[in-house]
Amino acid sequence: MKKMKVLSLVLMALMLIVTACGGNNTGSNNPANENVNANNGAATNAEAPAEDPKEEAAADLGGRVIRMAAWWDMTPKGETAGEKARLEKIAEIEKKYNVKIEFVNVPFEEYMNKFTTTVLAGEPFADIVQLEYKSAIAPVLKGQLLPLSEFTTADNDINNAQKLTIKLPPLAGGEYGFDTPGLSSVGIHYNRDLFKKLGLPDLQDVYNSGEWTWDKFLEIAKQATRDTDNDGKTDTYGFSGWTGNIVTNFAASNGGKIADDETGKEGLSDPRVIEALEFVNRLYNEENVVFVKGGNKTDYNEFNTYKDGNVAMFIGYEWMLGDQPFEVGVVPMPIGPQGTKDFTYANTALGGKFIPKGIKDPQVVYQIFEEMQDVPPTEEYVGQDYMESKYSTEADIQMIRDNIQGTGMVYVHEGYPDFPIGAVMEDIIVNNVSVSSTVEKYKQQAQASMDKLKP
């Protein structure tokens, strides 16, 4: 994001005026001449050469410590060429701005409390903080985070050639977050080994054929749910996961949002969300294609059930992969009846950098962060090494880059106090209450939860 400094604009305007006058070193608008004849605009020292306008000198922050916080250690270790280059850049910036850059590591369970108490005290514990979007919704609505407009301009590209810093999606109708570009994956991951064993079509072929819909997903899930040894018990299943994660992603793939942070309205009663709730209920209680390892259908630990190797498909994230005893493939979430390829998953874990209210010189702080990213690239694309450590084929990574990256619908319902999504899933999936009755029961509670954070 380029900074359009006031002085720089003035100097640029002066250059244009000088050029329009034929490049003469005369005239009252020529900053190179200190003594100008007010009557005729001629310089008193005609032989003095004009100097090119200089870029504004970097701000001197007088030895100030610039703190950047997260719930992990962001300090470059200097173990790779990229980390060494980053350390060199940090040293260069520290000298340029007369600052000391410090990375603050606060345990996750203590992080938001530290953020809130220090901001309320008028002394934020860090100049730049890492926040999950669902945790940032309350600070945004309470005015505890600065909007991007207070320290950047609309142009979010540092130099028009390399996107070293990017603007993150809006939150509560405003723009607050920024970060460095990255590559991540949220979608239907599948056990390629089991697919081959069961004679099922590779999901990437299905996706490329244009058939990847909820109906096709259910068809394949039913085909994968089998008694393979004829002992009267099901040995393989089509799907597994945690209900909270499952319903959000199917809702997003159908174009629905469980809580709309922009309008402040609950989305449980949105027909697109209701349709997703109906479909998930069908997977569990009508078609019985979901493997529940622990017996509790809504248990968060079902997130890892896929690792046993008897489940064909699961909603996965790239960070989950690495210790499973089978090859994994990936495709976007299947498109719902009212969905599009614009949004394929619920981005419930989106996080980024924010500048708290009360920080001095936020424009300079942001500029320092931006310049820290300007180091020589060591990969063909951002995230290459990481992705290649998680996926075994280039086709999987290309699928992510072409069809998943950038298609997340921001979901922050977990950031509203007592939002009843857990109770909703418990009633529908465990207690077999109808979706319509459940939505009617909880929609007012959901709206009240969101209203608590209204300014």
Side-chain angles (χ1 to χ4, degrees), residues 251-269:
S253 72
N254 200 36
K257 211 170 192 178
I258 289 175
D260 192 329
D261 56 281
E262 182 175 2
T263 64
K265 301 296 184 182
E266 61 82 21
L268 290 177
S269 57

Side-chain angles (χ1 to χ4, degrees), residues 328-368:
V328 171
V330 62
V331 289
M333 290 290 299
I335 295 179
Q338 301 183 63
T340 69
K341 289 185 177 181
D342 292 339
F343 294 109
T344 69
Y345 69 92
N347 199 345
T348 60
L350 178 62
K353 308 295 187 296
F354 298 82
I355 295 184
K357 181 180 180 181
I359 292 301
K360 296 179 180 179
D361 308 307
Q363 297 92 343
V364 182
V365 169
Y366 174 78
Q367 184 171 336
I368 286 173

